[in-house]
Amino acid sequence: MHTVVIIGSGPAGLTAAIYAARANLSPLLIEGWQAGGQLTTTTEVENYPGFAKGIMGPELMKEMRAQAERFGTAFKTGDVTSVDLKTRPFQIVVDGEETLKTKTLIIATGASPITLGLSNEKRLWGHGVSSCATCDGFFFRGKELVVVGGGDSAMEEATFLTKFANKVSIVHRRDKLRASKIMQDRAMQNEKITFVWNSVVEDVLGQDVVSGARIRNVVTGTVWDLPCAGFFLAIGHRPNTALFAGQLKMNQAGYLITTHGTTTDVPGVFAAGDVQDSHYRQAITAAGTGCMAAIDAERFLETSSHG
């Protein structure tokens, strides 16, 4: 029987583990087969406080993991295949075979950027392909960039990128945007932003780093190459919450709904990081809510009969 089980090994999960371990709760952290979360697919992280010269994403996650381990976090590698939150203690099945029981659960499974599934997209991820303008815009000073999408987040990302880039081309498959009027106007009035209407991206170009995007006009069928140094996906994120469908309250997009910090609608179950935050999606905010979740779990154990 575990006191605290944490699912997810990004900044939220590992920070929760550090705090829970220091509170003598002996947490067990289940890291998926691709441990470390989204930061393991990024290269340089320059906006995480405490690293004046920046730090590589995988290195930052390695340090966090070692810190959690130092204070007594136990780690288990495997994928959680099902959970039962209707009974107490909660039951968690790993890799379809092993069942674990826990008094409290911290969910830090994150969200995955929705990708186009292009052949070079994955290969050039972190080498010019990105889904986070706030994280990576700084690296593209004076360059030309492409943003894919037609919603608010695409307009927001493109507008943000004009602080650094010389030119931002927004590629959209239709001839009108989904974005709210105010966001559309802001983008359309920005002289650094151009729109490539009725078009889709066939592939990202580049050997070691992004050098362009192959575009196809869906009306005329014309294919051409648009040079760019960075390729930003702004077609949304998908929270990794399929496991909890029907057991925890979610919003329409599938993000877990939390109140009073990290509390879900099931007492003893807490959610931290991008799995409940579609707004900020930063390593530092994920770490912050990881800290909150561990403190919330500790207080829940102290004040309930489950302690």
Side-chain angles (χ1 to χ4, degrees):
M1 160 75 75
H2 298 276
T3 309
V4 181
V5 166
I6 299 161
I7 308 175
S9 56
L14 289 170
T15 305
I18 291 165
Y19 274 80
R22 282 176 55 87
N24 289 333
L25 297 176
S26 311
L28 171 71
L29 187 145
I30 304 168
E31 46 187 2
W33 291 106
Q34 194 215 330
Q38 285 188 75
L39 274 192
T40 54
T41 62
T42 57
T43 45
E44 189 115 20
V45 179
E46 290 198 329
N47 54 9
Y48 200 90
F51 299 94
K53 294 184 171 68
I55 183 169
M56 300 304 270
E59 183 65 22
L60 179 59
M61 298 325 296
K62 209 171 93 185
E63 286 288 325
M64 279 193 196
R65 191 184 188 281
Q67 195 175 356
E69 200 165 27
R70 180 187 150 208
F71 293 117
T73 301
F75 288 87
K76 182 170 204 52
T77 303
D79 287 321
V80 175
T81 39
S82 69
V83 294
D84 181 359
L85 305 178
K86 293 184 167 67
T87 55
R88 285 187 187 282
F90 305 126
Q91 298 196 13
I92 296 153
V93 180
V94 181
D95 291 333
E97 46 197 36
E98 187 182 358
T99 302
L100 307 169
K101 293 184 175 184
T102 183
K103 295 174 187 175
T104 60
L105 176 64
I106 294 173
I107 298 165
T109 48
S112 306
I114 298 168
T115 59
L116 296 169
L118 308 171
S119 57
N120 288 327
E121 198 174 33
K122 207 170 185 175
R123 184 176 67 78
L124 290 167
W125 197 271
H127 299 277
V129 176
S130 170
S131 65
C132 179
T134 324
C135 318
D136 299 327
F138 184 81
F139 301 114
F140 295 100
R141 250 174 221 290
K143 302 280 200 283
E144 298 195 355
L145 304 176
V146 164
V147 171
V148 180
D152 276 358
S153 64
M155 299 309 112
E156 205 171 317
E157 300 266 282
T159 305
F160 178 83
L161 289 169
T162 59
K163 292 181 182 182
F164 309 102
N166 283 349
K167 181 187 172 193
V168 178
S169 303
I170 297 176
V171 179
H172 186 49
R173 64 176 58 205
R174 287 183 287 277
D175 59 0
K176 50 179 175 291
L177 301 164
R178 287 193 320 277
S180 59
K181 185 84 173 69
I182 189 164
M183 294 302 291
Q184 286 192 42
D185 292 348
R186 194 173 296 166
M188 285 173 177
Q189 284 159 17
N190 191 316
E191 58 195 27
K192 286 188 175 181
I193 294 177
T194 57
F195 287 85
V196 182
W197 300 109
N198 295 318
S199 295
V200 292
V201 180
E202 297 269 273
D203 210 351
V204 188
L205 309 172
Q207 200 48 51
D208 302 321
V209 293
V210 170
S211 64
R214 183 153 293 156
I215 312 286
R216 176 171 58 85
N217 185 300
V218 293
V219 178
T220 64
T222 315
V223 176
W224 80 100
D225 293 346
L226 179 61
C228 64
F231 182 83
F232 285 80
L233 289 155
I235 48 179
H237 282 69
R238 195 175 284 117
N240 303 321
T241 53
L243 267 180
F244 313 105
Q247 301 194 69
L248 290 172
K249 260 191 194 153
M250 303 178 187
N251 68 12
Q252 275 179 315
Y255 287 89
L256 296 179
I257 294 171
T258 52
T259 53
H260 309 299
T262 63
T263 309
T264 68
D265 61 314
V266 173
V269 178
F270 306 90
D274 291 13
V275 75
Q276 52 89 51
D277 167 30
S278 61
H279 189 65
Y280 298 103
R281 287 202 303 265
Q282 299 300 302
I284 188 70
T285 49
T289 53
C291 157
M292 289 157 63
I295 292 172
D296 289 344
E298 185 189 357
R299 288 186 183 153
F300 172 82
L301 289 161
E302 277 169 8
T303 56
S304 72
S305 53
H306 308 289

